């Protein structure tokens, strides 16, 4: 199965099993907006809890916040979003499709890396056992050629981005002979800037109304509340404020399912530190956040850091954590050192002093900030694409199983009476009643037991408990494990402990302990 086919299957699976539906689907949907169904909302809530607990519960010096989506319009002038929250867009005149110029070039750069990898693989086959990859990469003229071209374009690209040179971005697209994937032509328009913020009116009459924005990031709600939290919580530097909430961006290109949405959810933590300490903290948060991702067990090599070519106007260091999606390595999280930019700008625009008195230094200053910012929806996609597995099982049958880490799975246990009679449903129901105060439990009595297992596999339920006639005699049940399909016989009284052990969030959190 190609990665493209896998991705299509995943999207279909998400819909068929109640994870994700297109928004307002009966009206043919709304571009890049999605709804989470009965299983999706559970997985999403669990992702948020994993993040929240790892931040707020595990760190004594991180507290939470829930700021409003609407903010005073001056907020976005101060933050720079009104002036500079733009993407460079370019249209293809033949297909009438719109693209982000920077993304077209980034994709071209990624293709050069793929070309190099292909050369290496070809050589590996040719040379067999004796192949020395390092030496080949260093000496092959073909590899050197591609790498030199890639590096030159990379350098031009970084310079153009930093200088905001739109003509140069277009020239790079032309020089690299990048074609529109739909029309296959190079009939490109000029590159233009496009502001990504949604605006609306607040107030009852058009006259008295003022333009306000749907927040494009949750971070600003944290910055404007810095003093409120610091004072009321008597927080001492270094400390952090964590927030989960909706954000909105009028994305130009939104074709990758929930990877790039116009309404999405972010989990952001702003960590306030002494000026000069920010680089140490930035390094530390990089490691902590990577550990959080890797604890899920999707494979070490499926993650990498990618440092930014263009630093945002507020940052002095920035990296992304990228995950190997079916469509390649892409950003799931950003870790940015934002300096004192945001707090200073709010100080300037509001005319209110936003400073911290450092009792050790005996002076006041504007703290520096290290931010970790991750999209809930991208995290969701990471989990679904890593978890979706098709496999052959005994007897030539196939099963689709979502290997979602048990603590995040929408349903933890499915309880099933072997037959719908002889008091088995009642006994099964009692087990549901015993477990449901602590866990999401499903009850299923329809179809053969094999079919019921398949249904639970397809939504990622880690444990199935079967009640049979023996249960009535000796009080034991069969527990079937999703990933191994192994079964064990245990006493009903031992169930709560077993379920706790298998699905506990603690197992994940211990790997990212503060
Ligand atoms: P990209 O380069 O992909 O547009 P970005 O660098 O603009 O992303 P940030 O502003 O750093 O993203 O936002 C932090 C995180 O929020 C991202 O790592 C991503 O997980 C999430 N995110 C940003 N934009 C979207 C979107 N349109 N849809 C879903 N998630 C998003």
């Amino acid at each position: 199965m190609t990665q493209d086919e896998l991705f299509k299957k995943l999207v279909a699976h998400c819909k068929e099993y109640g994870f994700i539906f297109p928004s307002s689907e009966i009206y043919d949907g709304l571009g890049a907006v999605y709804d989470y169904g009965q299983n999706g909302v559970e997985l999403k809530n669990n992702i948020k809890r994993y993040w929240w607990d790892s931040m707020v519960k595990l760190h004594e010096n991180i507290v939470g916040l829930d700021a409003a989506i609407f903010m005073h319009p001056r907020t976005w002038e101060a933050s720079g979003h009104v002036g500079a929250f733009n993407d460079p867009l370019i249209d293809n005149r033949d297909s009438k499709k719109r693209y982000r110029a920077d993304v077209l070039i980034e994709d071209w750069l990624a293709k050069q890396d793929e070309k190099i990898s292909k050369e290496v693989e070809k050589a590996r086959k040719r040379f067999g056992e004796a192949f020395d990859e390092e030496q080949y990469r260093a000496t092959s003229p073909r590899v050197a050629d591609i790498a030199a071209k890639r590096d030159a374009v990379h350098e031009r690209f970084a310079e153009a981005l930093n200088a905001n040179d739109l003509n140069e971005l277009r020239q790079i697209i032309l020089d690299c002979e990048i074609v529109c994937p739909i029309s296959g032509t190079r009939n490109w328009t000029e590159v233009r800037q496009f502001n990504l913020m949604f605006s609306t009116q607040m107030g009852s009459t058009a006259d008295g109304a003022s333009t306000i924005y749907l927040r494009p990031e949750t971070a600003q709600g944290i910055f404007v509340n810095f003093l409120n939290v610091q004072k009321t919580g008597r927080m001492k530097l270094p400390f952090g404020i964590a927030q989960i909430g909706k954000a909105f961006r009028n994305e130009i290109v939104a074709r990758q399912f929930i990877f790039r949405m116009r309404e999405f959810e972010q989990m952001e933590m702003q960590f306030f530190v002494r000026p000069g300490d920010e680089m140490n903290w930035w390094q530390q948060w990089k490691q902590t956040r990577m550990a959080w991702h890797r604890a899920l067990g999707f494979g070490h090599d499926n993650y990498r850091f990618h440092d930014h070519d263009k630093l945002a106007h507020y940052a002095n260091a920035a990296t992304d954590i990228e995950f190997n999606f079916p469509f390649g390595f892409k950003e799931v999280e950003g870790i940015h050192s934002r300096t004192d930019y945001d707090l200073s700008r709010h100080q300037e625009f509001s005319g209110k002093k936003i400073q911290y008195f450092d009792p050790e230094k005996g002076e006041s200053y504007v703290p520096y900030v290290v931010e970790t910012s991750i999209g809930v929806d991208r995290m969701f996609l990471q989990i679904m694409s890593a978890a979706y597995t098709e496999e052959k099982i005994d007897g030539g049958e196939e099963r689709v199983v979502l290997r979602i880490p048990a603590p995040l799975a929408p349903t933890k246990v499915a309880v099933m009476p072997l037959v719908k009679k002889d008091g088995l449903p009642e006994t099964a129901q009692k087990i549901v009643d015993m477990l449901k105060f602590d866990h999401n439990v499903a009850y299923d009595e329809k179809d053969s037991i094999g079919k019921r297992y398949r249904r639970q596999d397809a939504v990622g339920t880690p444990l199935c408990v079967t009640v049979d006639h023996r249960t009535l005699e000796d009080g034991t049940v069969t527990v079937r494990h999703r990933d191994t399909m192994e079964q064990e016989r245990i006493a009903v009284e031992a169930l709560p402990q077993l379920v706790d052990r298998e699905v506990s969030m603690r197992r994940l959190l211990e790997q990212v302990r503060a």
Side-chain angles (χ1 to χ4, degrees):
M1 186 166 37
T2 66
Q3 292 299 77
D4 213 25
E5 285 163 354
L6 169 70
F7 191 55
K8 281 200 184 111
K9 281 196 173 175
L10 187 66
V11 175
H13 191 88
C14 280
K15 183 166 173 219
E16 190 180 340
Y17 286 91
F19 283 90
I20 299 171
F21 308 124
S23 157
S24 26
E25 196 187 6
I26 56 169
Y27 296 101
D28 295 335
L30 183 67
V33 186
Y34 292 90
D35 297 338
Y36 285 84
Q38 66 278 17
N39 286 315
V41 65
E42 298 294 345
L43 172 55
K44 206 173 174 213
N45 283 341
N46 293 338
I47 293 171
K48 290 194 261 187
R49 189 156 77 78
Y50 175 38
W51 184 87
W52 189 266
D53 288 358
S54 79
M55 288 291 179
V56 178
K57 260 198 191 168
L58 293 196
H59 294 91
E60 279 166 31
N61 60 349
I62 298 182
V63 293
L65 180 77
D66 185 19
I69 288 171
F70 290 147
M71 300 181 72
H72 194 286
R74 293 275 283 165
T75 308
W76 306 110
E77 287 170 35
S79 69
H81 283 82
V82 172
F85 193 52
N86 300 320
D87 275 344
L89 70 85
I90 189 165
D91 292 288
N92 182 273
R93 291 198 184 91
D94 299 320
S95 67
K96 310 263 182 287
K97 288 280 175 213
R98 182 160 284 178
Y99 298 90
R100 265 173 64 177
D102 55 333
V103 172
L104 285 179
I105 298 171
E106 270 167 13
D107 287 350
W108 183 89
L109 288 168
K111 264 196 206 124
Q112 309 315 302
D113 287 331
E114 277 166 33
K115 270 192 199 164
I116 293 177
S117 300
K118 274 196 193 135
E119 288 296 320
V120 171
E121 284 322 303
K122 265 200 277 175
R124 191 190 307 283
K125 282 203 188 112
R126 222 171 36 238
F127 292 108
E129 293 270 295
F131 184 61
D132 179 340
E133 179 172 336
E134 212 171 303
Q135 195 195 353
Y136 179 78
R137 278 181 184 269
T139 53
S140 153
R142 174 100 183 102
V143 167
D145 246 21
I146 305 170
K149 211 165 140 199
R150 178 201 59 196
D151 291 347
V153 169
H154 194 194
E155 201 170 310
R156 276 177 73 190
F157 176 52
E159 271 173 27
L161 282 180
N162 282 315
N164 244 332
D165 186 342
L166 302 183
N167 288 334
E168 172 68 355
L169 283 180
R170 179 167 191 271
Q171 200 52 50
I172 295 173
I173 290 174
L174 296 180
D175 292 349
C176 293
E177 302 185 345
I178 296 174
V179 297
C180 163
I182 309 285
S183 66
T185 71
R186 285 181 250 150
N187 194 2
W188 296 111
T189 62
E190 299 303 305
V191 177
R192 281 171 295 144
Q193 292 286 27
F194 178 78
N195 193 290
L196 300 179
M197 279 201 296
F198 284 102
S199 64
T200 186
Q201 301 294 317
M202 186 177 247
S204 54
T205 60
D207 285 351
S210 63
T211 299
I212 55 164
Y213 299 98
L214 297 186
R215 65 180 177 198
E217 62 175 26
T218 57
Q220 299 304 324
I222 296 179
F223 294 130
V224 299
N225 277 298
F226 168 75
L227 279 186
N228 283 338
V229 174
Q230 191 268 318
K231 292 214 163 114
T232 56
R234 291 180 295 128
M235 309 300 290
K236 297 221 168 4
L237 249 52
F239 77 92
I241 304 178
Q243 172 167 232
I244 299 177
K246 288 270 176 142
F248 304 82
R249 295 183 187 178
N250 196 3
E251 297 281 359
I252 302 167
V253 184
R255 293 188 200 119
Q256 275 160 333
F257 194 36
I258 56 167
F259 182 81
R260 193 175 296 288
M261 302 157 89
R262 297 201 166 103
E263 172 179 343
F264 58 101
E265 214 166 350
Q266 285 186 315
M267 307 189 278
E268 295 198 300
M269 194 279 299
Q270 310 294 326
F271 200 69
F272 301 94
V273 303
R274 263 190 194 165
D277 287 354
E278 73 275 13
M279 283 305 165
N280 277 340
W281 282 111
W282 181 65
Q283 291 295 354
Q284 203 162 312
W285 278 111
K286 276 173 66 172
Q287 301 317 320
T288 308
R289 294 305 304 148
M290 190 57 113
W292 185 90
H293 286 276
R294 287 192 168 140
L296 296 174
F298 295 144
H300 219 257
D301 295 343
N302 282 324
Y303 300 90
R304 68 182 189 195
F305 287 114
H306 174 251
D307 290 335
H308 286 202
D309 285 325
K310 180 195 179 188
L311 289 177
H313 52 278
Y314 50 74
N316 67 356
T319 198
D320 296 334
I321 292 178
E322 294 187 336
F323 177 71
N324 193 6
F325 286 99
F327 41 87
F329 272 96
K330 296 277 181 219
E331 168 182 351
V332 278
E333 171 157 8
I335 299 149
H336 311 130
S337 172
R338 291 180 80 127
T339 68
D340 59 352
Y341 178 84
D342 301 272
L343 291 181
S344 300
R345 292 277 288 188
H346 287 304
Q347 182 167 259
E348 185 188 330
F349 277 65
S350 67
K352 309 262 165 33
K353 193 169 158 195
I354 306 180
Q355 296 198 353
Y356 171 78
F357 177 74
D358 189 329
E360 277 168 41
K361 282 186 153 186
E363 60 180 71
S364 293
Y365 51 80
V366 179
Y368 270 45
V369 173
V370 173
E371 150 185 279
T372 72
S373 172
I374 172 170
V376 180
D377 314 270
R378 272 191 206 177
M379 193 57 212
F380 192 109
L381 189 57
Q382 176 193 138
I383 291 170
M384 289 302 266
S385 41
Y388 182 91
T389 321
E390 293 177 359
E391 58 185 30
K392 285 236 174 340
I393 51 176
D394 286 350
E397 228 192 302
E398 269 205 9
R399 72 164 181 163
V400 171
V401 54
L402 289 185
R403 295 177 184 275
I404 300 174
L408 304 184
T411 302
K412 306 300 191 218
V413 191
V415 186
M416 312 165 168
L418 189 60
V419 289
K420 257 194 280 182
K421 54 181 186 186
D422 305 336
L424 299 189
E426 290 75 10
T427 308
Q429 201 61 58
K430 276 194 198 135
I431 295 176
V432 171
D433 290 343
M434 173 175 79
L435 297 173
K436 72 182 180 191
F437 291 94
D438 298 307
H439 304 287
N440 277 356
V441 187
Y443 173 82
D444 191 0
E445 59 175 27
K446 283 189 211 77
D447 301 320
S448 71
I449 210 77
K451 268 200 184 151
R452 284 183 258 172
Y453 283 159
R454 287 300 91 75
R455 266 204 296 270
Q456 296 303 328
D457 286 344
V459 295
T461 307
L463 299 168
C464 289
V465 171
T466 306
V467 172
D468 54 20
H469 290 95
R470 204 175 131 192
T471 311
L472 305 183
E473 285 161 24
D474 66 3
T476 62
V477 286
T478 304
V479 176
R480 183 248 195 199
H481 296 260
R482 177 194 68 197
D483 295 345
T484 57
M485 292 191 288
E486 270 166 22
Q487 305 196 357
E488 57 179 321
R489 194 85 199 174
I490 69 160
V492 171
E493 300 92 77
L495 264 179
Q497 215 186 349
L498 177 131
V499 178
D500 283 351
R501 192 181 65 231
E502 293 284 320
V503 310
S504 152
M505 191 73 88
R506 189 186 171 115
R507 272 197 310 163
L508 289 180
L509 291 171
E510 275 176 350
Q511 294 176 64
V512 282
R513 73 173 72 221

